[in-house]
Amino acid sequence: MTKETSWHGENRYLLFLTENYAALQVLKHKLHEAVGISIKNEESTSGQGLELNESERDVKRRRKEPFVLFGSSFPKDREYTQVCRNINQIKICMETGRTVILLNLENLYESLYDLLNQYYIFLGNSRYVDLGLQTHRVKCRVDNEFKLILIA
């Protein structure tokens, strides 16, 4: 990942192929740098010169910090209910524009097929994608700021 990498506009989701998970720390560091820069820019370009109170800053920072979702090969982590929980967490991040980092979650890729291939349905100014759980499909809104990063 270089400094010229754009996190804005239409692009494919990022896939890191690695022998170990050291890429997670490097990636989180780069994303935290980007969060700090974007929060400062939002504060300085507000136009009204009003200071954001601490709770507003926390909300903005939480929305921009990446959400890391870890998987494992433990049997309980591969159960249908856990897959549903993971998909729901990703869905919330999609709707709010929060970046998601998936680590060792190959069992979710089938459910995220349309999202990973960016098969969007456009309605007005919003875009939607199907998320699947076995034979059940649900249309979910995808915020324009949403990014998905896979570490495999």
Side-chain angles (χ1 to χ4, degrees):
M1 184 162 59
T2 65
K3 209 168 192 138
E4 294 81 32
T5 302
S6 173
W7 291 97
H8 307 288
E10 286 294 315
N11 53 27
R12 301 292 290 181
Y13 297 121
L14 190 57
L15 170 63
F16 275 102
L17 296 174
T18 179
E19 294 286 324
N20 57 36
Y21 300 122
L24 177 62
Q25 293 305 319
V26 173
L27 186 60
K28 282 177 68 175
H29 176 73
K30 291 289 186 184
L31 289 174
H32 281 287
E33 283 179 356
V35 168
I37 292 168
S38 63
I39 288 173
K40 287 177 189 170
N41 287 344
E42 285 177 17
E43 290 173 4
S44 65
T45 59
S46 63
Q48 298 176 355
L50 299 173
E51 285 293 317
L52 295 176
N53 66 34
E54 200 60 37
S55 63
E56 289 174 347
R57 281 191 191 128
D58 289 343
V59 169
K60 284 185 178 228
R61 185 168 284 126
R62 227 183 350 268
R63 284 185 189 154
K64 295 203 176 267
E65 282 185 17
F67 178 73
V68 180
L69 195 56
F70 291 93
S72 74
S73 56
F74 292 117
K76 293 245 182 210
D77 286 345
R78 299 198 175 272
E79 288 181 356
Y80 181 73
T81 54
Q82 184 60 42
V83 170
C84 290
R85 281 188 207 106
N86 290 341
I87 292 296
N88 189 51
Q89 290 176 313
I90 294 168
K91 179 180 174 261
I92 291 167
C93 291
M94 284 173 32
E95 292 171 347
T96 60
R98 189 172 182 187
T99 299
V100 175
I101 300 174
L102 299 181
L103 185 71
N104 196 25
L105 281 164
E106 289 81 14
N107 59 333
L108 294 185
Y109 296 167
E110 183 179 349
S111 297
L112 301 174
Y113 181 83
D114 286 350
L115 177 66
L116 293 171
N117 288 297
Q118 296 183 324
Y119 292 143
Y120 298 127
I121 298 167
F122 293 91
L123 181 63
N125 290 335
S126 299
R127 58 185 180 164
Y128 296 83
V129 72
D130 281 340
L131 294 181
L133 290 167
Q134 294 178 347
T135 59
H136 185 68
R137 310 285 294 169
V138 176
K139 291 217 182 320
C140 302
R141 191 177 71 79
V142 181
D143 188 270
N144 291 332
E145 296 294 317
F146 174 73
K147 301 295 179 208
L148 180 65
I149 301 170
L150 304 177
I151 299 179

